[in-house]
Amino acid sequence: MIICQIDEFSVTGIRGWATDTENPSEPVFLHALADGQEFLQFDCKDLREDVHASGVPSKNTGFHIPMPPSLLDGKKHNITFKNRLKQIEIYSQNQKLEHISFSGRLPVETHSFVDGLKQGVLSGWVVRGNTIEGWKGNQQILVTCNGQKIAQIEANRYRGDVGKALSCDPYCGFQFSPPDLYRKPYEQEFRFYVLPDMLEVANSPCLTSFVTDANEALIIDVIDQIDALHVELTRLRRKVREILPQPGFTIADYHS
């Protein structure tokens, strides 16, 4: 007979040990089944000094197997172990079990990034989810400036580049144009947090300053002057070419 003791089971896996009462020196080979369907075969040969100290002859009786992602869907599943040659008894917390009843989900993860300031707008993207349920956009973002809450926006703009790179919902982008009150010509700290867990977006904070209306008008004026100089330079270059003498031809140039 094979005795199998379950020490722990969670979304990360199942940990325990097993021994063959008739041949305790050999590692036990088990089949793991979920809802009657086999998903793994494994040897119980991890080092378990604590089990050996309790009286089991072999030190190599342990196992730690991963939980299949397909079972992490939040639904109830029955997990058990089989051996094709011998009967197996499963125990957990000193209670004999026919199977392990399990339900769990993969933890929700967040992937995000603040691209920075472009044309007076702060932009980025956020997706949340996992490999089972997929990565979803349309997340709520809290924006702060120098530690003060100033806006709550939604990451629902189309970002085909992100969708293609991460195989996720492409409607995950956000853009934020700060109100005039926060468009200062000196550097300010803008931070972005994913709600409701207040997880800060990658590459946040964004330290930036904005051009004032007066400075913008001055820059536009300088650009206009540069354009005018370029036009004048082009005219002068053309005039110089017209002044240069044009080559003539004589009978001496006949062969060339």
Side-chain angles (χ1 to χ4, degrees):
M1 177 180 291
I2 295 174
I3 302 298
C4 179
Q5 176 70 38
I6 306 299
D7 296 329
E8 177 187 355
F9 57 92
S10 65
V11 294
T12 60
I14 305 173
R15 187 176 67 87
W17 58 270
T19 184
D20 186 342
T21 58
E22 300 172 6
N23 191 10
S25 62
E26 292 295 324
V28 171
F29 182 78
L30 294 179
H31 300 258
L33 297 87
D35 303 325
Q37 299 295 318
E38 182 176 304
F39 66 87
L40 187 67
Q41 300 178 10
F42 61 96
D43 288 308
C44 305
K45 57 183 180 181
D46 293 350
L47 180 64
R48 288 294 299 263
E49 293 278 5
D50 58 328
V51 176
H52 176 65
S54 68
V56 176
S58 177
K59 294 182 179 180
N60 300 99
T61 57
F63 63 86
H64 191 181
I65 63 173
M67 191 69 71
S70 59
L71 301 182
L72 302 177
D73 54 6
K75 301 178 181 179
K76 184 178 179 180
H77 298 280
N78 294 327
I79 300 174
T80 189
F81 301 110
K82 299 289 185 181
N83 183 282
R84 293 180 179 176
L85 301 178
K86 296 188 177 183
Q87 183 181 355
I88 181 171
E89 291 185 354
I90 304 173
Y91 293 87
S92 178
Q93 298 179 349
N94 298 321
Q95 292 184 353
K96 187 177 179 180
L97 304 176
E98 293 296 328
H99 53 257
I100 304 167
S101 294
F102 172 83
S103 63
R105 289 183 179 273
L106 275 178
V108 175
E109 300 179 11
T110 301
H111 295 298
S112 60
F113 197 79
V114 178
D115 297 322
L117 180 68
K118 185 176 181 181
Q119 297 180 342
V121 175
L122 292 162
S123 61
W125 56 268
V126 176
V127 292
R128 299 194 75 193
N130 52 51
T131 55
I132 299 299
E133 299 175 345
W135 304 97
K136 300 177 182 179
N138 295 286
Q139 302 298 320
Q140 296 295 318
I141 309 295
L142 176 68
V143 186
T144 69
C145 179
N146 297 332
Q148 180 181 358
K149 298 178 182 179
I150 61 173
Q152 181 173 327
I153 60 177
E154 189 171 3
N156 59 0
R157 290 179 174 269
Y158 182 78
R159 287 293 299 263
D161 56 332
V162 179
K164 182 178 180 180
L166 300 181
S167 298
C168 66
D169 179 5
Y171 292 94
C172 60
F174 65 84
Q175 288 186 343
F176 176 64
S177 180
D180 293 340
L181 180 62
Y182 300 99
R183 303 179 74 88
K184 304 295 184 182
Y186 50 82
E187 189 175 81
Q188 296 186 104
E189 180 185 79
F190 290 89
R191 289 181 178 269
F192 298 83
Y193 299 92
V194 184
L195 298 174
D197 300 326
M198 289 296 289
L199 300 174
E200 188 162 12
V201 177
N203 203 38
S204 171
C206 182
L207 303 176
T208 188
S209 59
F210 294 85
V211 177
T212 63
D213 292 341
N215 286 338
E216 184 177 6
L218 180 60
I219 291 172
I220 293 174
D221 184 55
V222 172
I223 291 175
D224 289 341
Q225 293 182 42
I226 293 173
D227 290 342
L229 289 173
H230 180 71
V231 172
E232 180 64 15
L233 183 61
T234 302
R235 188 187 66 81
L236 291 173
R237 187 183 292 113
R238 186 181 299 112
K239 188 173 182 179
V240 168
R241 287 199 179 108
E242 292 174 354
I243 295 174
L244 288 175
Q246 300 296 323
F249 297 96
T250 66
I251 193 65
D253 303 313
Y254 177 79
H255 292 292
S256 60

